[in-house]
Amino acid sequence: MNHSATVAVERCEDYDEAAVTAAVAAAVENAGGLAAAVSPGDRVLIKANLLAPVPPEAAVTTHPAMVKAAIAMVREAGGEPLVADSPGFLFVGGEDSAIEASGVKQACDEMGADSFQFEQVERPYVETEVPGGQWLSSIYAARLALEADAIITLPKLKTHENTMYTGAVKNMFGAVAARTRKKAHRAGSYERFSAAVVDIFSALKPGFAIMDAIVGMEGSGPRHGEPRQVGLVLASPDPVALDAIATAIAGFRPGEVATTRIAAGRGLGIGDLGSIDIAGVSIREAAVRFRKPGGLKRNLPSFLFAVADRLTRVQPACAESVCTQCGQCRLACPVAAISMAPYPVIDRERCIECYCCNELCPTGAMELRRSWLARRLV
Ligand code: SF4
Ligand code: SF4
């Protein structure tokens, strides 16, 4: 690991496609280029943030213009781009898909690039070890992430009620199954949950980060805050260093954001501002003081996360009246949680809530049943 890092910071005031493409190209080049992360012929996963089925103006999801620019950069480096994410589990299988509502699917179609929500592919999640994991010794990670030759994290600059801030490191949280996300939440406190997020980042470790900080989100992020004009694009081969600079620009104190501090402490990147070279706009010139999220969710005791889990369940269940007993759900289940007797029966202890049985059922019989509270939260 080098003991210094470069983060490029470029001005870009709006989402005009030509302006965004130029800003991203300049930022990537000033950060040293993609060559160290992407080799010609590589299948490159661009991990956007598609948290919820809302339009780009809501400032919840990575903007489609940023996705297009990232696709262009990957192609220029000789890579084959693939764009993916999974929304928060409450939104999976809902009437609107996040990838369509966010405009990202259309952007990818226009660029001729593949795009998916992780749960939309066969065998979507695979159990994988987390060497040195502090809270998670193994995770159910997206197969598309594990099989990619390279990963680029493409987050949006936002506050986060649980982790204070979400950027390049936290963005990888969307690349694991709901079961793993819930397990991470049950770690409890701000520090422990942040350590679990870093476990996931360490297992998937993206080789480059490009941040949509043109319009960010302040206050009650990542979903219910207010859009905030920032006017920047950031890029770095070191996602931890990028987070250190982005959080400094947004007005967080050094070390205040635990995911950055913990990732740097584990040698996964550079967190010390004094060891990071900025190419472009300085922190002082770029500074915007974000309204920070309230502290309530960060300080919940862990047993309340377990209660919240139960109250917000989204579980697959077979509607026998339309089930043809074809068994495709059993074959599709990555953890063999489904047996046929003669209709599908789900072992709830084994189920990792990947929801691919729902995606792949040809008749719509495998429904996602939402608890009373889950229905009201979407
Ligand atoms: S895939 Fe659908 S129709 Fe086929 S057995 Fe499963 S629930 Fe029934
Ligand atoms: S039962 Fe369905 S949701 Fe659960 S792990 Fe199997 S395929 Fe995924």
Side-chain angles (χ1 to χ4, degrees), residues 315-341:
Q315 290 186 320
C318 176
E320 294 180 0
S321 59
V322 275
C323 175
T324 59
Q325 302 176 23
C326 70
Q328 287 195 36
C329 52
R330 186 181 71 80
L331 293 175
C333 180
V335 292
I338 301 178
S339 53
M340 302 297 290

Side-chain angles (χ1 to χ4, degrees), residues 135-136 173 184 187 191-201 266:
W135 286 97
L136 302 171
F173 192 67
E191 290 289 330
R192 289 197 295 261
F193 176 55
S194 299
V197 169
V198 172
D199 288 341
I200 291 167
F201 170 75
R266 289 202 215 163

Side-chain angles (χ1 to χ4, degrees), residues 8 10-30 34 63-76 107 110-111 154 208 210-212 214 232-235:
E10 280 292 315
R11 289 265 183 226
C12 186
E13 295 302 334
D14 59 42
Y15 288 107
D16 171 76
E17 275 187 28
V20 172
T21 302
V24 169
V28 169
E29 188 184 332
N30 293 339
L34 278 185
H63 196 281
M66 288 291 299
V67 173
K68 282 186 169 182
I71 289 170
M73 294 312 301
V74 168
R75 287 200 172 128
E76 204 177 298
E110 286 172 18
M111 295 291 286
L154 186 69
F208 204 91
I210 304 172
M211 173 174 268
D212 172 2
I214 298 172
L232 298 171
V233 166
L234 284 74

